[in-house]
Amino acid sequence: MKKYGFVASGGGFRSFYTAGVLVWLKQHNVPLTHLTSTSSGNNIVLDYLLWDWTQEEMPPVLTKTHRLGFTDIFDVFSNFLGLQPALIPNGSHLFTVNKNKCRRSLLLDDPQRRDLLAAHLKTTRWDIMTTNLTERKSQSFNVNDILSPIDNDTLDRFMDVFIAGITTIPYFKAVKMDDQYFLEGGYTDNTPLRSLFEDPDVDEIIAVDFTDYDYHAELDKIYKKNVLVFALNSIEMNLLFNNIQWGLPNKAILAQATVINQFLEKMGQSSIEINGKTYYHKPLHVLTPKNLESMTISLENMTAQKEYFKLGEQDIEATFDLKAMAA
């Protein structure tokens, strides 16, 4: 059976779509041996790896977001990430993240979930993409190395990497690790493919990409709004700016991956060595949902998480032939 690599791109609220894809793949026993992620994709992958695949229908945090009872709303939206506003705002950032509270909300203080994570990491590699702002480059961290073994000390390091991988400014304060500042990977690579192309054990790659967004229509909508809704316009423009900032450069990254495959096909080779690293030809399956909203908490549609999740399930089912996958 083919072994697959999977890319969970950043996308805020859109990552419920990614969750739908991952759940469908697991329910149909598609082997995912290498996962990469950044931004909200980190949350989805962690929840996937904390999932008791034999006893639970869906990953644990995802289950809460689908149910959305009163206590679930409090847990997921109030405690999730441990957000804390500054007591005395100075204009540099809106929130800091309480690392211990964040760890609890992600269920990493639960011994049984830790055991599940350790077991799943024995058969699945996970890389988190960040942006090293000090050195102005993307930087990938291997979670398997960090969490070997899983204890309070290694989880403390993991939480630094995890939070760095989801940090956007000026919303959050940049994370400082090893005397360097880090932000989420979307600033440099929102669909981290490189380590998958370097992995000889991955046969094919499945990637979720959110760059198919109608910037023209969104600008038209914002520019034509009444000036009296200044605050709402400002929020929507800021969200659109983030989409542009992460989306447009990422189209080039995906194009480069396609070109590498095409070069190898033309040369009749299965791999190529560049600067001491070997890259392998791998069929690349990219799911590109159109015009999904990125806002983490939808104020207009409280069922959007279910709609995006269902769309992810439908798209992956329509894209893949299970018989061909098993070949």
Side-chain angles (χ1 to χ4, degrees), residues 113-277:
R113 297 293 176 185
R114 289 189 184 187
D115 290 344
L116 281 168
L117 178 60
H120 293 159
L121 287 176
K122 288 181 180 179
T123 58
T124 307
R125 175 179 166 182
W126 180 20
D127 299 319
I128 288 178
M129 179 62 72
T130 69
T131 297
N132 185 324
L133 192 59
T134 301
E135 297 189 2
R136 301 177 302 282
K137 67 177 185 179
S138 60
Q139 185 166 337
S140 181
F141 290 88
N142 185 308
V143 176
N144 305 68
D145 289 342
I146 297 171
L147 292 179
S148 179
I150 297 179
D151 54 37
N152 287 332
D153 289 337
T154 59
L155 279 171
D156 188 68
R157 173 64 173 181
F158 168 77
M159 289 305 302
D160 284 337
V161 172
F162 181 89
I163 294 171
I166 62 175
T167 293
T168 57
I169 54 176
Y171 305 111
F172 308 113
K173 189 175 182 179
V175 174
K176 204 168 189 180
M177 294 189 295
D178 306 323
D179 206 33
Q180 295 179 320
Y181 280 116
F182 287 84
L183 304 173
E184 71 150 83
Y187 288 100
T188 49
D189 187 352
N190 199 47
T191 308
L193 291 160
R194 177 171 295 184
S195 62
L196 298 178
F197 275 101
E198 295 175 10
D199 188 344
D201 293 328
V202 169
D203 298 311
E204 299 188 11
I205 300 171
I206 304 167
V208 176
D209 170 56
F210 298 114
T211 59
D212 193 353
Y213 198 83
D214 192 341
Y215 302 118
H216 179 97
E218 191 66 19
L219 280 173
D220 265 354
K221 183 178 77 173
I222 295 173
Y223 287 154
K224 292 175 181 177
K225 280 193 173 179
N226 192 307
V227 294
L228 297 179
V229 290
F230 170 78
L232 183 58
N233 282 354
S234 296
I235 292 171
E236 290 185 353
M237 182 57 81
N238 195 51
L239 290 170
L240 178 61
F241 171 74
N242 286 338
N243 274 330
I244 294 171
Q245 186 177 37
W246 300 320
L248 291 182
N250 217 55
K251 291 182 74 69
I253 291 172
L254 288 165
Q256 290 171 0
T258 300
V259 167
I260 290 173
N261 270 339
Q262 291 173 340
F263 273 138
L264 289 170
E265 289 167 7
K266 287 290 185 182
M267 293 186 296
Q269 295 180 205
S270 61
S271 65
I272 187 170
E273 184 176 326
I274 302 174
N275 294 329
K277 292 187 176 181

Side-chain angles (χ1 to χ4, degrees), residues 30-48:
V30 177
L32 300 178
T33 60
H34 191 162
L35 307 168
T36 65
S37 64
T38 192
S39 193
S40 58
N42 296 344
N43 299 73
I44 299 302
V45 170
L46 177 60
D47 201 29
Y48 171 83

